[in-house]
Amino acid sequence: MILRFASIILLLVLAAQSSASISDVSCDDRTRITATLKSSLQAERRGVGLRDPETTLEVWVLPTNGDWIIVQHYASGTSCIVATGEYWEASAPNPA
């Protein structure tokens, strides 16, 4: 399942950037990556965190099967899919 999911992402990014090399296929404009996650995959953003002053990380989850994607956004407007996986399980916050 994760192989099929990763293939879909790669095909969508390749279609958007037909001249990209294989090392560039996981990065694209933030707006396009976000739109693809929402509309094509019906993914939901489940978390966001600041990595450094110019970089954020987001966790996106496909509610239908639990596949997950971590997207790194840069202040420049570029975003990269940095990890994918299966069986996302949300956990409750720890009591203070």
Side-chain angles (χ1 to χ4, degrees):
M1 181 59 144
I2 196 70
L3 181 58
R4 189 182 117 227
F5 170 72
S7 297
I8 290 170
I9 290 288
L10 290 176
L11 287 174
L12 291 170
V13 173
L14 280 174
Q17 293 185 337
S18 59
S19 64
S21 70
I22 193 67
S23 63
D24 299 328
V25 295
S26 61
C27 295
D28 199 357
D29 176 73
R30 179 184 184 135
T31 303
R32 272 193 295 268
I33 284 188
T34 300
T36 299
L37 290 169
K38 288 180 179 178
S39 63
S40 297
L41 299 174
Q42 288 75 47
E44 299 173 354
R45 190 175 80 171
R46 297 285 176 93
V48 62
L50 187 63
R51 181 168 181 194
D52 60 49
E54 297 190 9
T55 310
T56 59
L57 290 172
E58 292 180 342
V59 176
W60 291 78
V61 178
L62 280 70
T64 55
N65 61 11
D67 286 356
W68 54 266
I69 306 142
I70 297 179
V71 179
Q72 186 163 300
H73 298 290
Y74 300 96
S76 67
T78 299
S79 296
C80 298
I81 297 170
V82 296
T84 61
E86 299 175 316
Y87 308 113
W88 178 262
E89 183 178 318
S91 58
N94 293 330

